[in-house]
Amino acid sequence: MNARGASALTFGVAVALIAGVTLGNGGANVMPVFVDDFATRFGLSDSGAGIVAATQLMATAVVTLLLAKRAARPGRVRMTRLGLALAGAGFLGAAAAVDPVTLILANLALGAGLGAVYAAAMAALAATDDADKASAVTICGVVGVTALLIMGVPAANHDVGEGTGFLLMALCCLAAWPLVRRLPDGPATADTGPVGRAGTTAGKPSVVLLLGTALLWTVTQGAWSYASVLGRQHTGMSHSAVSTVLAISSVVALAGAVVGPVAARRFGRMRSMAAFVTAQALAMALLVLTHDPVLFTVAAVLWQACQLAVLVQMLAAAALIDPTGRLVASLSGAGALGTGIGPLAVGAVLDAAGADVLGIVLALGTAVASLPLLRMTVAGTAASPEKGLAPFSSTETG
């Protein structure tokens, strides 16, 4: 640690952050594969499998929010390992389940465990000496490892047997046990002082800020869940072609995680985030409304890149405001809540009003949800030179 108590972003710290955040958010990221397993093994309908999925996602979101304050204090490694143990047991239970009731109980347990891991790992992001770099490195690593899991879990289910993918996830929890030992710990005291413009006091976010974060991820995850369907129906592309486009957009989107901090350094945190939010809203609307395959591809890539840029900026601003990590953990929990609600909400709008209305709703929803986050970014800009956690003091203009 340096003189301010912040941890340097060493290789070991980066690995710990990537391992914790990947597994903490693993349920949501690998959920499409899990849902397919639920439906196949137990003959569940789409809605039945969706209920099991929602059980896990809501457990993760609620526990993340409940443990956000605890994650701001010392003992993050122990908290993360307890979460890994509970999640691992839940994954084993899901693999061995013989009926839907047992499956739901196992998903409640693993969702709760992942929530503890997610709260501790996300809070640890704020304890590094460069919030922007730590956020960018962590998000890039999470995207890469998650891509491997999305390929590995279904391969295990197909090649070894149904439910084996959950055993693989349990093994990942075991492998992460030694990796998370370098997670930066919380400070002995968690008083960060009032930050009124961000709607926070001593790291405690306002309800408006939490609702804005939840809404943003409701819109984002909901649109992503139906991107393949809309692409096939509107552009005439084959299922494999749409899947390829979305896969490419996810990889290329890593550029957004890199460009986000660079843009903040060059143009100011507030201006750059406002530009990324606007571009994200327009790209999301274009993806839903266009009937041209080329425009669909361009919109998908731009949307995903801007989304990662916004995520990195949001995490960095929250870390600058509250180095204890409570604010980052709280926003992550709110985002997880929105992730669970998103597919249901967007599906309802699509069925009731159609794609044209959905495109407008998504764009407006992104803009409205981003307003409290932009206010938080202003406070993050003010906090940067005061706390000295990121090299923006001579260039911030937001």
Side-chain angles (χ1 to χ4, degrees):
M1 288 192 177
N2 58 25
R4 291 174 289 99
S7 298
L9 188 64
T10 63
F11 177 78
V13 170
V15 169
L17 290 170
I18 292 170
V21 176
T22 298
L23 283 174
N25 202 33
N29 288 335
V30 191
M31 187 53 72
V33 178
F34 290 161
V35 167
D36 185 53
D37 180 78
F38 300 156
T40 302
R41 287 169 60 197
F42 298 96
L44 299 177
S45 63
D46 290 340
S47 59
I51 290 174
V52 179
T55 297
Q56 182 192 132
L57 294 174
M58 292 301 290
T60 299
V62 170
V63 171
T64 302
L65 284 169
L66 291 177
L67 293 181
K69 184 176 181 179
R70 171 62 187 85
R73 301 199 298 269
R76 285 180 186 147
V77 173
R78 181 172 180 271
M79 178 179 169
T80 302
R81 286 177 168 173
L82 288 174
L84 289 173
L86 179 57
F91 281 123
L92 292 175
V98 294
D99 59 76
V101 174
T102 306
L103 180 67
I104 289 175
L105 292 176
N107 273 272
L108 274 173
L110 73 89
L114 294 180
V117 174
Y118 198 40
M122 293 303 291
L125 275 173
T128 59
D129 58 0
D130 189 334
D132 288 279
K133 183 179 180 181
S135 299
V137 169
T138 301
I139 295 304
C140 288
V142 168
V143 170
V145 178
T146 298
L148 296 177
L149 290 177
I150 291 176
M151 293 186 292
V153 171
N157 287 334
H158 181 268
D159 297 338
V160 182
E162 294 177 353
T164 311
F166 287 104
L167 293 178
L168 177 60
M169 294 299 295
L171 289 175
C172 288
C173 291
L174 181 62
W177 186 279
L179 299 180
V180 299
R181 68 185 180 86
R182 298 295 301 277
L183 276 180
D185 215 349
T189 59
D191 184 13
T192 62
V195 187
R197 284 187 297 171
T200 67
T201 302
K204 183 178 180 180
S206 68
V207 174
V208 173
L209 183 58
L210 290 177
L211 288 176
T213 304
L215 177 59
L216 180 62
W217 289 105
T218 296
V219 170
T220 300
Q221 184 62 38
W224 179 253
S225 299
Y226 285 90
S228 180
V229 174
L230 293 169
R232 287 187 288 107
Q233 292 180 350
H234 289 186
T235 67
M237 288 191 292
S238 65
H239 178 80
S240 59
V242 174
S243 298
T244 300
V245 168
L246 296 180
I248 292 174
S249 70
S250 297
V251 175
V252 176
L254 289 173
V258 177
V259 172
V262 175
R265 190 173 290 111
R266 175 66 179 83
F267 303 106
R269 194 181 299 279
M270 175 64 178
R271 292 180 181 176
S272 61
M273 187 167 178
F276 284 126
V277 166
T278 301
Q280 179 183 351
L282 294 176
M284 191 182 300
L286 179 61
L287 181 103
V288 175
L289 298 175
T290 186
H291 292 269
D292 183 89
V294 175
L295 289 178
F296 180 87
T297 302
V298 172
V301 172
L302 181 60
W303 171 33
Q304 291 298 294
C306 290
Q307 179 188 339
L308 283 189
V310 169
L311 176 59
V312 169
Q313 295 255 42
M314 180 183 78
L315 294 176
L320 290 171
I321 292 168
D322 176 21
T324 70
R326 181 181 179 183
L327 181 56
V328 176
S330 296
L331 295 181
S332 300
L337 185 64
T339 297
I341 298 172
L344 297 175
V346 169
V349 174
L350 186 61
D351 289 340
D356 291 343
V357 173
L358 177 63
I360 297 173
V361 169
L362 292 176
L364 291 177
T366 300
V368 171
S370 299
L371 292 178
L373 294 173
L374 290 173
R375 289 188 64 205
M376 182 188 73
T377 303
V378 173
T381 299
S384 180
E386 293 173 8
K387 297 180 185 281
L389 293 178
F392 295 117
S393 58
S394 63
T395 57
E396 286 289 357
T397 57

